[in-house]
C-alpha cells in the first residue's frame, strides 16, 4: 500500500511504501513493565549522564572552539565524537515528544545552539577537520568519519522534524546535507565514507522532507562502495565493505556496525526506488548471516581485532565481541526488512536482540554500559567507581564512559523511541510485534479506528492480554506475532482457546470495547542446542526462557571457581526458578595436572551434583563483577 504524508508521525523509519506501516510515538505508548522501567531510567539518568560526560571530556566544547576560531591540533576526542552529540540529540528529540519533559526540550535547544554556531557558511559541520590547526576537509575518508558524523546529524534532525517540526537543528542538518550533495554528488568527488551512516541518514532525511535528491545521494554512496573506492588498510577493504558491491555480497563481513548501517540504508534506498535487486541482496545477506554468524543472544561480531563478523560458524562465546551498537544496527536492518516485507522472522530477531543485547548494556542506574557483550566471562571484571573513562570495550563490568563511547548514546536513542517498534497497521488491521504494557490507537487507511490496551508481565509471565478499547465500525484483523521458540502457545478469544503456531496468529471480527484477546506464550525454561558446526560450543547446551537467554554466574555456584569445570545434566529439562531456571551441575576437572591434555577421557565426578541457578543474561554482573557463561558443557 502507498502511505500518506510523513509529517507529525514520530517514527525513526517511514518507508513511502510497504505492506505495513509503522505506528509511532503518537499512537503507541509503553506504560510500564520491562521496557517501561528501562525507558524511565534512560530518561531520568542516561541522557543527562551522556551530556555530562561529553561536556567533561571537551567533546561539546569542540563545537565552541570551531565557532570561536580557537581550534588547534590537540582536539580532545576521536574524530567521531561529534556523532555522540547527535545521537544524544536524537534521543532527546524522541524523549521530548514521548514524555513532554521540559529538560529534554531545553537540552535540545542548548545543544543545537552550540552546534549551529560551529557550522561553516557552506554547510560543512565538523570539529576535527577543516579549521585552524586541523587537517583539511575530507583528506582521510577511510578513517576521518566526517560523513559518518553528518549521517547521525541527519538522523537527529529526522527525529526533531517528526516530533516537533522544522527548527534550527533541522535547518543546520539541511545545510549539511546540501553540502554533502554538492561535494559528493554527480559531478563531484566520487568518494565514500569509511564508516557507513551518511547513507541511512540521507535516505530518511529525504523521506522526512519529501526530497528525493537526498535518497539519490544515498544511492550514489551505496553504489560507489565495493569497488576499492577507499584506500586499502591493514584490516583489508572488507573492514568497511569496500571489497564487494552490496548488490553482489552474500553475507555480512568486516566491521559489524559498518556492515549493518550500510544494509539498513540499502533497504531504505531499495524501497524508495522499487529496487528489488538491492532489497533481495540485503535479504540474502540477512539469511546467511543470521543462520551462520549470529550468537544465540542476537549479538553480531565475533572478532575483536576489527569489531567484525567472523567466518561462518566462528562464534566463540568467550571471544564474542557483540558490540552493543551492532545490536542496535541489527534492529535497524531487521525493522526495515520487516516494513518492506511483513515477514515476522525479522521482528523475532529484533525481540531476541532487544532482550539479550540492548537490555544487557545499561546498568540499573542508567549510568554505566556494556560495549562488548561476550557470552562467557572467565574472570570477574575489576569494579569501577564510575569516574574513569574505560580505555577498553571489554572489561567484564559496565563502564560509565568509554574512550570510544558509541554505545551509550546508541542505547539511549533506541530506548527513547522503542514504542515505535511495537506495532504496525495495514489495510485491514493491527499487528503487534513486541509485547509490553502499552496503549495503542491508530486509524486504518480507510478511516476505521483500532484501539487497544496491552496488559502483560512479559517476559516474566507469558500471558499477553490485548483489551480492545473502542467499538469497531466494521470487522478488522488483530495479528499477533508468535515467536519461533513458542511451541505450544495458545490464543484465547471470546471464551475459546486454540493453538497458536509460531509465526502469526490472527483474530478477525467486529470488536467491541472491552473484548480481550489473550496470547499465552510458554515461557518455561528450555534447553537450546547449537548447530554442531559451531565448534566453539559443540557439546554445550544453553538455557532460554521465553525471549531471554539465561546464564550461570559465579555468584550462584557453591564455589566461584566451579564455573570453569561445570558440566550440567541435560537428560531432562531445566526446572523453572523465579524468572530463571535450575539445572543439576557437576564438576569435571583433572586434579593437579601440570599439562591439560591426557590419554584418558575425563568423566564427571561421581557425586550427586549440585543445584545450578540460571538467570537472564541481561542481568549478569549487576550484583558485582562475576564470571559468567551462557553455553554449558552437557553430560548427556
Ligand atoms: Zn558501540
Amino acid at each position: 500500500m502507498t502511505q500518506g504524508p510523513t509529517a507529525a508521525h514520530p517514527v525513526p523509519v517511514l518507508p513511502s511504501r510497504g505492506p505495513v506501516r509503522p505506528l509511532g510515538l503518537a499512537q503507541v505508548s509503553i506504560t510500564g513493565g520491562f521496557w517501561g522501567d528501562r525507558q524511565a531510567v534512560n530518561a531520568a539518568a542516561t541522557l543527562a549522564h551522556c551530556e555530562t560526560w561529553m561536556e567533561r571530556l571537551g567533546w561539546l566544547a569542540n563545537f565552541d572552539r570551531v565557532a570561536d576560531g580557537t581550534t588547534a591540533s590537540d582536539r580532545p576526542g576521536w574524530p567521531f565524537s561529534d556523532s555522540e552529540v547527535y545521537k544524544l540529540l536524537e534521543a532527546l528529540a524522541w524523549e521530548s515528544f514521548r514524555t513532554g519533559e521540559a529538560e529534554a526540550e531545553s537540552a535540545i535547544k542548548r545543544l543545537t545552539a552550540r552546534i549551529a554556531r560551529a557550522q561553516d557558511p557552506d554547510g560543512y559541520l565538523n570539529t576535527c577537520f577543516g579549521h585552524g590547526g586541523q587537517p583539511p576537509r575530507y583528506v582521510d575518508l577511510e578513517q576521518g568519519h566526517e560523513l559518518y558524523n553528518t549521517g547521525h546529524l541527519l538522523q537527529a534532525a529526522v527525529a526533531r522534524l517528526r516530533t516537533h517540526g522544522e527548527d534550527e537543528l533541522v535547518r543546520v542538518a539541511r545545510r549539511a546535507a546540501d553540502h554533502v550533495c554538492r561535494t559528493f554528488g554527480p559531478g563531484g568527488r566520487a568518494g565514500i565514507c569509511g564508516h557507513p551512516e551518511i547513507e541511512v541518514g540521507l535516505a530518511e532525511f529525504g523521506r522526512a522532507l519529501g526530497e528525493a535528491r537526498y535518497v539519490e545521494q544515498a544511492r550514489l554512496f551505496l553504489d560507489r562502495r565495493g569497488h576499492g573506492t577507499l584506500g586499502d588498510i591493514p584490516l583489508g577493504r572488507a573492514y568497511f565493505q569496500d571489497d564487494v558491491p552490496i548488490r553482489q555480497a552474500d553475507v555480512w563481513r568486516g566491521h559489524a556496525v559498518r556492515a549493518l548501517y550500510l544494509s539498513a540504508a540499502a533497504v531504505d534506498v531499495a524501497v524508495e526506488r522499487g529496487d528489488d535487486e538491492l532489497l533481495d541482496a540485503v535479504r540474502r545477506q540477512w539469511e546467511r548471516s543470521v543462520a551462520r554468524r549470529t550468537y544465540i543472544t542476537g549479538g553480531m561480531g565475533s572478532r575483536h581485532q576489527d569489531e567484525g563478523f567472523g567466518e561462518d560458524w566462528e562464534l566463540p562465546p568467550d571471544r564474542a565481541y557483540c558490540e552493543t551498537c551492532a545490536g542496535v544496527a541489527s534492529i535497524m536492518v531487521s525493522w526495515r526488512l520487516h516494513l518492506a516485507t511483513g515477514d515476522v522472522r525479522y521482528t523475532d530477531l529484533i525481540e531476541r536482540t532487544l532482550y539479550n543485547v540492548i537490555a544487557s548494556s545499561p546498568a540499573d542506574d542508567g549510568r554505566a554500559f556494556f560495549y562488548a557483550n561476550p557470552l562467557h566471562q572467565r574472570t570477574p571484571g575489576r569494579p569501577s567507581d564510575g569516574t574513569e573513562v574505560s580505555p577498553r570495550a571489554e572489561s567484564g563490568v559496565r563502564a560509565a564512559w568509554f574512550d570510544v563511547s558509541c554505545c551509550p548514546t546508541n542505547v539511549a536513542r533506541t530506548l527513547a523511541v522503542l514504542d515505535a517498534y511495537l506495532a504496525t497497521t495495514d489495510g485491514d488491521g493491527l499487528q503487534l510485534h513486541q509485547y509490553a504494557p502499552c496503549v495503542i490507537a491508530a486509524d486504518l487507511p480507510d478511516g476505521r479506528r483500532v484501539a487497544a490496551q496491552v496488559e502483560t508481565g512479559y517476559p516474566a509471565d507469558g500471558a499477553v492480554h490485548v483489551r480492545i478499547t473502542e467499538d469497531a465500525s466494521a470487522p478488522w484483523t488483530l495479528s499477533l506475532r508468535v515467536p519461533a521458540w513458542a511451541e505450544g502457545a495458545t490464543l484465547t478469544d471470546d471464551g475459546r482457546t486454540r493453538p497458536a503456531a509460531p509465526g502469526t496468529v490472527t483474530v478477525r471480527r467486529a470488536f467491541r470495547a472491552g473484548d480481550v484477546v489473550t496470547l499465552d506464550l510458554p515461557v518455561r525454561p528450555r534447553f537450546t542446542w547449537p548447530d554442531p558446526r559451531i565448534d566453539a560450543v559443540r557439546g554445550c547446551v544453553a538455557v532460554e526462557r521465553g525471549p531471554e537467554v539465561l546464564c550461570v554466574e559465579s555468584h550462584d555456584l557453591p564455589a566461584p571457581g566451579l564455573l570453569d569445570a561445570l558440566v550440567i545434566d541435560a537428560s531432562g529439562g531445566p526446572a523453572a526458578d523465579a524468572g530463571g531456571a535450575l539445572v543439576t551441575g557437576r564438576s569435571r576437572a583433572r586434579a593437579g595436572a601440570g599439562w591439560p591434555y591426557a590419554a584418558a577421557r575425563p568423566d564427571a565426578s561421581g557425586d550427586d551434583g549440585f543445584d545450578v541457578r540460571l538467570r537472564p543474561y541481561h542481568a549478569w554482573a549487576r550484583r558485582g563483577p562475576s564470571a559468567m557463561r551462557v553455553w554449558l558443557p552437557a553430560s548427556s
Side-chain angles (χ1 to χ4, degrees):
M1 80 188 183
T2 301
Q3 292 160 352
T6 63
H9 189 50
V11 289
V13 190
L14 191 53
S16 62
R17 62 177 73 83
V20 293
R21 176 179 170 85
L23 298 187
L25 299 182
Q27 297 149 320
V28 182
S29 295
I30 295 174
T31 52
F34 186 99
W35 292 111
D37 291 349
R38 283 156 178 79
Q39 287 187 310
V41 171
N42 190 51
T46 302
L47 300 179
H49 174 87
C50 291
E51 186 179 349
T52 300
W53 272 99
M54 287 191 257
E55 193 73 273
R56 185 180 300 170
L57 297 174
W59 299 1
L60 283 166
N62 283 335
F63 290 93
D64 308 335
R65 279 188 279 273
V66 170
D68 298 340
T70 57
T71 52
S73 57
D74 62 345
R75 174 190 174 280
W78 288 90
F80 39 83
S81 68
D82 293 359
S83 72
E84 307 311 335
V85 183
Y86 302 147
K87 278 189 283 178
L88 174 60
L89 266 169
E90 181 186 339
L92 288 163
W94 300 127
E95 197 58 43
S96 174
F97 183 90
R98 196 178 69 81
T99 59
E101 272 286 328
E103 171 48 28
E105 191 59 27
S106 63
I108 292 169
K109 294 212 165 73
R110 72 176 169 262
L111 293 174
T112 299
R114 291 171 81 174
I115 290 164
R117 287 181 66 232
Q119 189 164 37
D120 291 350
D122 68 350
Y124 181 82
L125 175 55
N126 188 282
T127 70
C128 191
F129 292 88
H131 305 99
Q134 299 178 337
R137 298 174 181 181
Y138 305 122
V139 291
D140 185 8
L141 288 177
E142 286 74 18
Q143 302 287 1
H145 288 79
E146 286 155 285
L147 293 166
Y148 167 86
N149 285 319
T150 304
H152 278 300
L153 170 66
L154 300 184
Q155 286 188 309
V158 166
R160 190 62 173 159
L161 200 51
R162 289 186 179 150
T163 53
H164 176 91
E166 177 139 348
D167 74 345
E168 182 68 0
L169 178 63
V170 176
R171 287 189 287 274
V172 166
R174 192 193 281 269
R175 288 193 292 269
D178 289 343
H179 159 79
V180 169
C181 292
R182 279 196 308 275
T183 309
F184 293 94
R189 179 172 171 180
I192 58 173
C193 185
H195 198 316
E197 165 64 24
I198 185 66
E199 300 86 353
V200 75
L202 278 168
E204 203 64 38
F205 197 53
R207 285 167 166 169
L209 289 169
E211 296 218 23
R213 66 200 175 94
Y214 295 135
V215 181
E216 174 57 19
Q217 183 64 43
R219 184 203 61 80
L220 251 183
F221 281 134
L222 278 166
D223 281 338
R224 274 179 198 158
R225 188 176 291 269
H227 305 280
T229 305
L230 294 164
D232 206 356
I233 58 170
L235 291 168
R237 287 197 175 95
Y239 174 73
F240 34 47
Q241 296 77 43
D242 193 28
D243 55 336
V244 180
I246 191 165
R247 292 170 190 276
Q248 294 167 22
D250 290 322
V251 71
W252 287 326
R253 70 234 171 270
H255 187 266
V257 177
R258 282 172 167 81
L260 293 162
Y261 281 179
L262 184 70
S263 286
V267 177
D268 292 336
V269 168
V271 167
E272 293 315 302
R273 296 170 53 88
D275 187 341
D276 289 343
E277 179 203 43
L278 184 56
L279 181 62
D280 289 347
V282 180
R283 295 179 72 179
R284 182 171 73 233
Q285 291 161 37
W286 187 98
E287 293 288 342
R288 177 156 157 193
S289 305
V290 170
R292 299 177 178 217
R293 298 188 177 190
T294 301
Y295 284 93
I296 188 172
T297 52
M300 293 187 182
S302 48
R303 289 186 179 171
H304 286 228
Q305 64 168 11
D306 59 350
E307 304 184 310
F309 286 97
E311 295 182 3
D312 287 356
W313 317 118
E314 183 188 330
L315 295 164
D318 46 357
R319 297 298 291 161
Y321 198 71
C322 294
E323 181 177 344
T324 301
C325 287
V328 170
S330 165
I331 290 169
M332 288 167 58
V333 177
S334 286
W335 186 236
R336 283 161 173 79
L337 285 172
H338 175 76
L339 296 178
T341 63
D343 189 337
V344 294
R345 289 181 314 148
Y346 299 121
T347 42
D348 240 23
L349 183 66
I350 288 174
E351 175 177 69
R352 181 171 289 277
T353 309
L354 281 173
Y355 281 102
N356 300 297
V357 179
I358 307 306
S360 302
S361 180
D364 292 340
D365 70 359
R367 295 187 175 92
F369 308 85
F370 275 141
Y371 185 122
N373 294 281
L375 280 73
H376 186 172
Q377 179 75 28
R378 295 179 186 274
T379 310
R382 187 175 58 82
S384 164
D385 65 4
T387 62
E388 54 196 12
V389 174
S390 174
R392 271 179 297 282
E394 69 279 15
S395 63
V397 292
R398 294 171 179 84
W401 203 250
F402 299 90
D403 182 36
V404 172
S405 217
C406 44
C407 300
T409 51
N410 233 343
V411 169
R413 68 175 180 148
T414 304
L415 289 177
V417 72
L418 195 62
D419 317 58
Y421 289 90
L422 263 52
T424 54
T425 52
D426 63 9
D428 192 47
L430 172 70
Q431 302 85 42
L432 293 186
H433 303 286
Q434 308 301 339
Y435 299 120
C438 64
V439 290
I440 302 172
D443 293 323
L444 302 184
D446 63 4
R448 281 177 294 167
R449 189 157 180 81
V450 296
Q453 178 167 2
V454 178
E455 297 157 2
T456 182
Y458 190 77
D461 185 276
V464 179
H465 308 285
V466 183
R467 182 182 303 278
I468 305 301
T469 51
E470 285 192 28
D471 290 340
S473 54
W476 58 272
T477 303
L478 173 66
S479 304
L480 303 169
R481 179 180 61 88
V482 181
W485 50 261
E487 289 290 348
T490 60
L491 185 93
T492 303
D493 170 47
D494 206 16
R496 287 185 295 274
T497 298
R498 56 183 162 104
T504 299
V505 63
T506 61
V507 178
R508 178 176 172 76
R509 60 190 176 84
F511 290 101
R512 310 294 301 172
D515 287 355
V516 177
V517 174
T518 297
L519 177 66
D520 262 303
L521 298 170
V523 294
R524 59 185 169 273
R526 62 190 188 275
F527 283 132
T528 301
W529 299 90
D531 188 302
R533 287 172 288 187
I534 307 174
D535 302 83
V537 294
R538 190 178 296 142
C540 292
V541 66
V543 185
E544 298 184 276
R545 182 186 180 280
E548 296 171 311
V549 174
L550 306 185
C551 69
V552 177
E553 277 186 280
S554 48
H555 296 308
D556 294 316
L557 291 173
L562 273 177
L563 194 69
D564 288 337
L566 182 65
V567 174
I568 66 146
D569 180 352
S571 56
D577 179 66
L582 213 53
V583 297
T584 299
R586 291 184 174 78
S587 172
R588 181 163 67 180
R590 190 170 278 126
W595 178 243
Y597 311 100
R601 189 185 177 113
D603 287 316
S605 52
D607 59 44
D608 291 338
F610 47 87
D611 282 347
V612 176
R613 173 164 289 126
L614 293 104
R615 298 159 55 90
Y617 170 77
H618 60 71
W620 89 275
R622 293 192 191 278
R623 294 172 288 166
S626 66
M628 172 279 300
R629 63 190 301 166
V630 166
W631 289 109
L632 308 169
S635 62
S636 59

